[in-house]
Amino acid sequence: MIDVMRSEWTKLRSVRSTMWTFGVGVLAMIGFGAGIPAALVAMNEPAEMEPVAASLSGVPFAALIFASLGAMVITSEYRTGMMRTSLTAVPQRLKLLASKVLVFTLVALLVALFSTFAAFFLGQAFLGTENAAASPGDPGVLRALLGTALYLTMSGLFGLGIGTFIRHTPGAIVLIVALMMVVPMMGNMLPGAIGEFIVKFFTTNAGQRVASVGEQAGLLGPWQGFGVYALWAAAAMVIGAVLLKRRDA
Amino acid sequence: MTTIQAINLTKRYGTTLAVDDLSFTIEPGRVTGFLGPNGAGKSTTMRMMLGLDRPSGGSVRVGGKPYSELRHPLRTIGALLDAKAVHGGRTARNHLLCLAQSNGIGRARVEEVMETVGLTAVAKRRVGGFSLGMGQRLGIAAALLGDPEILMFDEPVNGLDPEGIRWIRTLMRGLAAEGRTVFVSSHLMSEMAQTADHLIVIGKGRLIADTGVQDFIARSSQSYVRVRSPRMAQLAPLLTGAELSAHGDHMRVIGLPASKIGDVAAGAGIALHELTVVEPTLEAAYMELTKDSVEYAGETVPA
């Protein structure tokens, strides 16, 4: 297992597109996280937004980027045919998938932690000039920051699961955008129980709870929400794993 | 165990039988050619050997085990199925390194195989920019990585220049001479005639022959003498004890040596316009055996 994980780490670091995509995710986090607070200060409205939320404005974009990157970890192997070479080297397919998942999780978590804290401290530095900054010691702040890093990482795993059963980069990204952005936004437009279910439980609507400071009535609590989001990711991963095991490569 | 063993191997896609009840054993110490027309099921068979495709029936054992039970498969069998099955964004060295690591093979071996196939100078180049020949060499480097006892190549000379073809041919002969099992597919007879010791021939997924190259030729076609003469009708009855058959403006004579035919013709004052001994070729033998199983035959244009 360690051998296969080392191999997966080599694969991940030796392709420029992965490193670039991680870079774009970091830029989205830091760019929005510094830019929005700076804009608030420039408009003399530093208290218009909750300070932590202002510095985490990049999260919805970064979540999509992490998910796409997770999908590409495996779809790029299918696109190039490398998957057949990989499976020839490691015919125990679930072992190969598990190694990919573990290595990606570690790398994504480190990148997410770095970009979350960088965005937070940069954003608060701008807000601090107007004495409107939050500190990590304030109630719920540290949990929201760690929660953001976990949320981004779980988004990446959701994408990896989707990529494993779609096997096709554009198809996987379309499904990611649909499941993580389009459907969650439709919740408020749909009536009745379906709308309520989407608002409360559907993918990112549940997952994002852990990435914000406060709690809102009618929505899941932070860790409940994260748990539901983890179930979505797990479902995608299980479908991917079953199909990977059964299908011809 | 250093053999590849197919036991009643079958692969069905919908209603099409791509591989139909194949059983054979590929032995070490020789080059075994895997022949068949395009679409005969060669690649499907090889993919099943590597555990990429799941057989619909039967099984295949590599080094005595199902492929998926090999812990470090690259150390048992090295395969080149498709030289393009690499991520173009990775350098040659990193491509080989990630394969080596997955099978617990050290970095030094990566440098060694790059040296063997002559890629050291381009180790840091991304493989997407490689020529066909370089890609093929990279695929062979990957196959050699685990110093395996069994090697398998799918159409390795496709698209290579003559120098590259000779290199691969020499390499395969050398690997077999070291006692390894070498299994190589091709649809080119001329190539197999120069490389293989043993042949497994399939057509439409079925086993047609599993035999030595010489036996294969001897079994399926004979040498004959081609004779052309303006007085064919007078000559024919004089060739007693031979088997004659007319082929347009000439005839084929089996069972009489050319010298004897010449003597008979001279004795009767019959002029010969052609007297040629035709030795059978692997190509002719192959065409003979597979003519019923060609998937996509071109229409024969009447002369």
Side-chain angles (χ1 to χ4, degrees):
Chain A
M1 189 75 176
I2 293 292
D3 284 344
V4 184
M5 284 178 67
R6 281 174 62 209
S7 157
E8 288 300 324
W9 164 239
T10 301
K11 282 187 194 169
L12 195 66
R13 71 169 171 76
S14 63
V15 174
R16 283 191 210 166
S17 59
T18 14
M19 289 304 155
W20 273 108
T21 314
F22 266 129
V24 172
V26 173
L27 270 182
M29 284 295 285
I30 294 177
F32 282 97
I36 298 289
L40 289 172
V41 169
M43 292 187 301
N44 277 321
E45 306 262 15
E48 185 63 19
M49 258 179 104
E50 190 272 309
V52 178
S55 61
L56 296 180
S57 305
V59 168
F61 306 96
L64 288 177
I65 293 164
F66 271 67
S68 306
L69 184 56
M72 275 158 51
V73 165
I74 195 154
T75 56
S76 73
E77 288 211 26
Y78 279 110
R79 176 176 59 78
T80 56
M82 179 68 192
M83 197 59 185
R84 290 194 300 278
T85 305
S86 296
L87 286 174
T88 309
V90 185
Q92 299 82 15
R93 297 183 178 194
L94 296 185
K95 183 164 145 188
L96 183 71
L97 181 63
S99 304
K100 273 190 193 304
V101 166
L102 285 172
V103 169
F104 176 78
T105 304
L106 285 175
V107 176
L109 186 61
L110 286 175
V111 175
L113 278 170
F114 166 76
S115 52
T116 302
F117 280 89
F120 174 77
F121 285 115
L122 268 170
Q124 302 315 314
F126 281 104
L127 294 169
T129 59
E130 299 289 331
N131 290 324
S135 112
D138 295 345
V141 172
L142 191 59
R143 194 266 300 139
L145 294 177
L146 293 174
T148 298
L150 289 174
Y151 171 67
L152 292 179
T153 306
M154 193 57 78
S155 298
L157 290 172
F158 190 35
L160 210 166
I162 288 172
T164 306
F165 67 82
I166 299 274
R167 302 199 287 190
H168 189 249
T169 309
I173 290 177
V174 167
L175 192 60
I176 285 167
V177 170
L179 291 178
M180 291 180 60
M181 198 168 91
V182 180
V183 178
M185 286 197 312
M186 279 164 50
N188 288 319
M189 300 174 227
L190 292 171
I194 297 178
E196 208 172 298
F197 171 80
I198 291 176
V199 168
K200 211 168 165 182
F201 296 106
F202 207 84
T203 63
T204 50
N205 284 345
Q208 272 176 339
R209 302 311 312 142
V210 80
S212 48
V213 175
E215 293 193 28
Q216 263 175 277
L219 296 181
L220 295 174
W223 294 111
Q224 277 177 317
F226 185 71
V228 169
Y229 192 49
L231 287 179
W232 282 95
M237 198 63 80
V238 167
I239 296 171
V242 168
L243 289 177
L244 174 68
K245 184 102 177 113
R246 286 174 46 170
R247 283 196 287 214
D248 287 343
Chain B
M1 287 278 280
T2 52
T3 60
I4 306 178
Q5 208 182 354
I7 308 146
N8 305 115
L9 195 60
T10 302
K11 181 70 183 182
R12 192 177 286 107
Y13 293 108
T15 54
T16 316
L17 261 181
V19 174
D20 187 2
D21 200 28
L22 281 185
S23 295
F24 54 76
T25 301
I26 301 159
E27 303 283 352
R30 65 191 187 192
V31 177
T32 301
F34 192 29
L35 284 180
N38 284 330
K42 301 188 298 291
S43 295
T44 305
T45 302
M46 287 181 148
R47 280 203 304 272
M48 286 192 284
M49 288 173 172
L50 298 176
L52 293 173
D53 284 10
R54 183 193 295 267
S56 311
S59 63
V60 63
R61 281 162 193 279
V62 174
K65 287 181 182 171
Y67 194 86
S68 62
E69 285 176 24
L70 298 171
R71 205 169 102 73
H72 287 139
L74 300 186
R75 298 182 188 197
T76 302
I77 177 170
L80 168 62
L81 284 201
D82 176 6
K84 290 192 209 72
V86 297
H87 194 301
R90 215 166 262 136
T91 64
R93 178 178 282 128
N94 279 330
H95 173 70
L96 294 172
L97 180 62
C98 75
L99 293 177
Q101 287 172 328
S102 69
N103 276 248
I105 298 162
R107 262 167 201 274
R109 180 63 186 163
V110 170
E111 301 303 321
E112 219 172 278
V113 292
M114 281 196 296
E115 191 72 48
T116 307
V117 303
L119 284 181
T120 307
V122 293
K124 285 185 178 168
R125 272 188 32 200
R126 294 198 284 159
V127 300
F130 276 18
S131 67
L132 199 58
M134 285 155 75
Q136 212 77 347
R137 282 170 191 262
L138 181 65
I140 287 169
L144 297 175
L145 206 49
D147 196 18
E149 283 300 314
I150 310 174
L151 288 123
M152 179 155 117
F153 304 105
D154 192 11
E155 304 272 0
V157 302
N158 259 9
L160 289 189
D161 56 16
E163 200 265 330
I165 292 176
R166 205 178 48 201
W167 177 75
I168 288 194
R169 202 182 280 156
T170 312
L171 178 79
M172 289 192 298
R173 303 272 352 144
L175 290 166
E178 289 167 17
R180 298 180 210 252
T181 305
V182 181
F183 187 48
V184 53
S185 83
S186 181
H187 63 282
L188 299 173
M189 279 333 90
S190 45
E191 184 49 41
M192 284 297 99
Q194 304 202 43
T195 327
D197 309 294
H198 195 87
L199 292 178
I200 288 172
V201 185
I202 65 171
K204 284 188 178 165
R206 299 187 74 94
L207 189 68
I208 294 178
D210 176 357
T211 176
V213 173
Q214 292 316 317
D215 291 349
F216 181 76
I217 297 172
R219 207 180 76 187
S220 49
S221 61
Q222 288 177 288
S223 66
Y224 61 87
V225 183
R226 191 158 73 184
V227 180
R228 200 151 56 86
S229 164
R231 295 169 60 196
M232 212 86 102
Q234 284 96 322
L235 178 62
L238 303 176
L239 301 173
T240 47
E243 192 186 308
L244 308 180
S245 57
H247 288 265
D249 67 340
H250 67 273
M251 62 180 174
R252 288 181 183 182
V253 182
I254 297 170
L256 273 186
S259 54
K260 179 77 177 160
I261 299 170
D263 289 348
V264 169
I270 298 172
L272 292 182
H273 289 183
E274 185 183 353
L275 184 65
T276 314
V277 179
V278 179
E279 293 289 353
T281 61
L282 180 59
E283 182 129 23
Y286 169 77
M287 297 302 271
E288 179 69 28
L289 266 177
T290 59
K291 67 184 177 205
D292 295 331
S293 53
V294 176
E295 189 97 334
Y296 311 102
E299 209 172 309
T300 312
V301 181

